[in-house]
Amino acid sequence: MAEVAEMAPPRRRFWTQLWFWVIVGIVAGIVLGIVAPAAAKETKWLADAFIQLIKVIVGPVIFCTVIVGIASLGNLARAGGLALRALGYFLLATIVALTLGLIAANVVKPGVGFTGEPTQAQLDQAAGQIQQSHQDSGFVAFLTNDLLPKSFLGPFVDNKVLQVLVLAILTACAISALAAPLRKRLVGGVEALSKVIFGIIKLIMWLAPLAAFGGMAYTVAVFGASSLKNLGTLMITFWVVCAIFVFVVLGAVSAWAGFSILKVIRLIKDELLIILGTSSSESVLPRLLTKLESAGASRQTVGLVIPTGYSFNLDGTCIYLTLGALFIIQAGNETLPIGAQIGLALLMVLTSKGAAGITGAGLVTLAASLQAFGGEFFTPEAIAIGIAVIIGIDRVMSEGRAVTNCIGNVVATLVIARWQNELDRDRLRAVLDDPSLVAADMEYHHGGGSARDEEGDTVSLDKDESTDRDDREAVGSGTR
């Protein structure tokens, strides 16, 4: 079995793989957006429908994955240590990302000299974003509104990722306290349910190329603010800072942990392409769970760190928050003292934790942060105008946020797994050198095209033949 598991899966031709068709969808969307912008504006529903379908199963995926990851070992002390280390890592990453945004805004000053005026449509849309973000702020409000569920089924209905995570942890703790035979039966039942959910995901992922087509066509068609110098500077600055964070900050962290950030990006290229097309990191969460576990991280680490990171480790969103806030200040010909900037960044350490990985969440979080900060710097009128100005390029920046968030959570999972001594480093090294080693697991759980042998015949991918992953799930297996 082990010898079969270590064999590389048959190489698939590129036109049978998901990433190829996502690229086709993105390119076709760009062409349609340029050639027929009026028609392209009507394609956004393709991306929205795909994200809506993904959101249906995100909650159940997190719930089942976390329960299996924690309860299968029956070791709450180890799970608690893992959670504390993950939160500590997330806090440090958040502070670094927020600081980079502040530094970039003060160095580049993208809002200085801004003379543009938002359209009435943008003002109306901004009013809706501000209304959506108008809620109580502060630590207590975060606990009662964002962290603690009000009912057991409510978080699944409302797609509250953080609340689903709380329910999953509580359920896993309760199952872990049961006698071993009963615990194993319950974990087995949850794991069986997760196989059904992953079967649903496999069907939904066939729609990813269409979603990429619709999302990119809409983005190109409505991107009318690119002629404004300041907005263009803001957009470029944001993407450059995200690149610095990924290749310098995360690159250094990855090097310390013993792997290459460039190889990690190559490993998750399919997921990054889907994010670029759909502007949503939620759309690839189930795929990341499978891919990282197949790459050598323990099930417990992957099951806890990835879902938690989707609420607590949003590096791209943090860069966007401080950069966008200072852009609004600068565009209004105002200045914000360094002390006040630090205070705003500290506030955003909290407000950034409620942002989900879907399009527009960063904009709502920015409005909420400015309202919470309040005072003489951010009047309701200034917030409305500032948000209205940024709306024109928010979708392009949303893609940057989602991509950076995704890479940040992948690196966090691998680093924390190594920190916990729950990373099969030989397996990870092999997968990073040859990403096709995870193809069988990805095919089994998510589809994306039939595997084919050299003659073009379809290869049957049985779970037992895809990978000997169960032997790697036990803590302490493999080379650490």
Side-chain angles (χ1 to χ4, degrees), residues 50-60 156 158-159 282 358:
F50 176 76
I51 294 173
Q52 183 174 334
L53 287 173
I54 289 293
K55 288 172 67 177
V56 170
I57 47 84
V58 164
F156 296 93
D158 299 330
N159 198 41
E282 269 191 344
I358 56 176

Side-chain angles (χ1 to χ4, degrees), residues 8 163 185 221 258 292 391 418 430 468:
Q163 294 179 4
R185 289 199 297 272
L292 290 176
I391 277 176
R418 183 182 185 276
D468 195 17

Side-chain angles (χ1 to χ4, degrees), residues 112-137:
V112 173
F114 181 79
T115 58
E117 292 290 338
T119 65
Q120 185 59 46
Q122 289 173 327
L123 287 171
D124 293 341
Q125 188 175 353
Q129 300 283 5
I130 293 173
Q131 179 64 32
Q132 185 176 349
S133 67
H134 184 67
Q135 56 184 354
D136 295 336
S137 59

Side-chain angles (χ1 to χ4, degrees), residues 124-274:
D124 293 341
Q125 188 175 353
Q129 300 283 5
I130 293 173
Q131 179 64 32
Q132 185 176 349
S133 67
H134 184 67
Q135 56 184 354
D136 295 336
S137 59
F139 183 70
V140 174
F142 171 74
L143 287 178
T144 57
N145 296 331
D146 297 321
L147 183 63
L148 300 179
K150 297 179 181 178
S151 67
F152 196 91
L153 297 179
F156 296 93
V157 175
D158 299 330
N159 198 41
K160 299 287 188 178
V161 173
L162 196 54
Q163 294 179 4
V164 170
L165 181 62
V166 170
L167 288 175
I169 292 174
L170 292 175
T171 305
C173 291
I175 294 177
S176 297
L178 299 175
L182 178 57
R183 173 171 58 83
K184 291 180 180 179
R185 289 199 297 272
L186 289 175
V187 171
V190 175
E191 191 165 18
L193 177 61
S194 70
K195 293 183 183 295
V196 176
I197 296 172
F198 277 107
I200 297 174
I201 295 171
K202 184 185 296 186
L203 298 175
I204 295 175
M205 290 312 299
W206 283 102
L207 301 176
L210 285 176
F213 166 76
M216 191 57 65
Y218 174 82
T219 298
V220 173
V222 303
F223 187 59
S226 59
S227 61
L228 295 177
K229 176 183 176 181
N230 295 91
L231 288 175
T233 301
L234 173 63
M235 182 180 64
I236 293 173
T237 301
F238 172 72
W239 275 89
V240 169
V241 175
C242 286
I244 291 173
F245 182 85
V246 169
F247 294 108
V248 177
V249 178
L250 295 182
V253 173
S254 300
W256 171 80
F259 55 87
S260 166
I261 186 64
L262 295 178
K263 290 184 177 180
V264 169
I265 293 174
R266 182 179 66 172
L267 174 66
I268 60 171
K269 70 178 186 303
D270 293 27
E271 289 71 32
L272 297 181
L273 287 170
I274 294 172

Side-chain angles (χ1 to χ4, degrees), residues 225-432:
S226 59
S227 61
L228 295 177
K229 176 183 176 181
N230 295 91
L231 288 175
T233 301
L234 173 63
M235 182 180 64
I236 293 173
T237 301
F238 172 72
W239 275 89
V240 169
V241 175
C242 286
I244 291 173
F245 182 85
V246 169
F247 294 108
V248 177
V249 178
L250 295 182
V253 173
S254 300
W256 171 80
F259 55 87
S260 166
I261 186 64
L262 295 178
K263 290 184 177 180
V264 169
I265 293 174
R266 182 179 66 172
L267 174 66
I268 60 171
K269 70 178 186 303
D270 293 27
E271 289 71 32
L272 297 181
L273 287 170
I274 294 172
I275 290 173
L276 285 174
T278 63
S279 193
S280 168
S281 58
E282 269 191 344
S283 60
V284 300
L285 186 151
R287 293 177 58 87
L288 292 179
L289 293 171
T290 302
K291 182 166 286 188
L292 290 176
E293 187 180 341
S294 181
S298 70
R299 174 175 293 184
Q300 183 181 31
T301 302
V302 174
L304 188 61
V305 175
I306 285 290
T308 307
Y310 264 66
S311 287
F312 283 93
N313 191 41
L314 303 177
D315 303 321
T317 301
C318 291
I319 295 171
Y320 170 86
L321 289 176
T322 47
L323 186 59
L326 290 195
F327 173 85
I328 292 175
I329 280 287
Q330 295 165 358
N333 296 319
E334 301 288 345
T335 58
L336 194 64
I338 295 298
Q341 292 184 28
I342 295 175
L344 177 61
L346 291 175
L347 172 67
M348 288 177 170
V349 169
L350 176 62
T351 57
S352 64
K353 301 313 174 192
I358 56 176
T359 304
L363 196 63
V364 174
T365 305
L366 176 59
S369 301
L370 300 183
Q371 284 183 325
F373 195 68
E376 58 183 306
F377 303 108
F378 298 103
T379 64
E381 293 77 14
I383 294 174
I385 294 175
I387 296 297
V389 168
I390 294 178
I391 277 176
I393 59 171
D394 180 69
R395 185 174 181 88
V396 177
M397 297 177 74
S398 177
E399 293 167 352
R401 294 195 299 265
V403 166
T404 306
N405 292 342
C406 176
I407 298 174
N409 282 316
V410 169
V411 171
T413 303
L414 296 177
V415 170
I416 293 170
R418 183 182 185 276
W419 197 359
Q420 284 283 109
N421 199 31
E422 295 185 9
L423 177 66
D424 186 338
R425 295 167 67 182
D426 283 346
R427 170 67 179 178
L428 176 63
R429 190 178 300 112
V431 167
L432 292 181

